[in-house]
């Protein structure tokens, strides 16, 4: 192992107490959490569980002005659809209810938009 790999292995074995196992076995069984700021090594069988409760998981603030909630990035769309502060606008072309903050992007990508419609 080169020096960075030795440091990596040392961090893993200190975290998991797996010093008796070979370096390849330790590296095969664990994974570093990918959330920014979290340097925790997690057993691969528990990685999904850790990602759901990691204090460093990515979160986004709800885009609605009066809503103060922070939501996990992959659940933001679902939150916007149920947020009590969300104003909805009906698309004039496809008649879909679109959250107010997404109106401009929906207008640019709406499949029912007339070809002759010029966007501002």
């Amino acid at each position: 192992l080169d020096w960075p790999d030795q440091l990596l292995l040392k961090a893993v074995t200190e975290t998991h107490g797996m010093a008796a196992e070979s370096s390849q076995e330790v590296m095969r069984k664990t994974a570093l959490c990918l959330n920014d700021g979290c340097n925790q090594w997690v057993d691969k069988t528990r990685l999904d569980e850790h990602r759901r409760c990691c204090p460093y998981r990515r979160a986004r603030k709800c885009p609605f002005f009066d809503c103060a909630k922070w939501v996990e990035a992959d659940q933001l769309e679902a939150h916007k659809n149920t947020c009590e502060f969300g104003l909805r606008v009906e698309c004039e072309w496809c008649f879909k209810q679109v959250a107010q903050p997404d109106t401009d992007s929906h207008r640019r990508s709406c499949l029912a938009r007339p070809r002759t419609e010029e966007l501002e």
Side-chain angles (χ1 to χ4, degrees):
L1 294 174
D2 58 4
W3 183 247
D5 289 339
Q6 288 178 8
L7 291 176
L8 187 63
L9 178 60
K10 182 177 183 224
V12 172
T13 54
E14 286 174 356
T15 303
H16 293 286
M18 298 179 188
E21 297 185 49
S22 71
S23 58
Q24 288 83 12
E25 189 68 18
V26 171
M27 299 298 276
R28 189 179 64 76
K29 287 184 175 182
T30 59
L32 179 64
C33 177
L34 298 177
N35 293 326
D36 288 338
C38 182
N39 295 318
Q40 186 170 350
W41 285 91
V42 182
D43 189 291
K44 286 184 179 177
T45 60
R46 300 185 63 217
L47 192 56
D48 287 337
E49 175 186 337
H50 172 78
R51 286 183 179 153
R52 283 192 297 275
C53 64
C54 178
Y56 294 95
R57 67 187 175 273
R58 293 183 354 191
R60 301 284 183 262
K61 183 179 179 320
C62 176
F64 298 121
F65 181 74
D66 292 326
C67 183
K69 287 188 179 179
W70 284 82
V71 184
E72 290 186 41
D74 61 341
Q75 296 175 4
L76 185 58
E77 285 302 313
H79 170 75
K80 288 193 312 188
N81 291 330
T82 60
C83 181
E84 62 186 299
F85 297 103
L87 299 174
R88 305 245 175 255
V89 177
E90 184 177 274
C91 175
E92 62 191 277
W93 301 312
C94 69
F95 307 106
K96 179 180 177 183
Q97 293 292 318
V98 180
Q100 177 114 22
D102 296 334
T103 303
D104 289 338
S105 70
H106 175 80
R107 285 180 53 85
R108 286 190 294 275
S109 63
C110 182
L111 298 176
R113 182 182 83 207
R115 295 266 183 216
T116 58
E117 185 67 30
E118 292 294 325
L119 296 177
E120 299 148 15

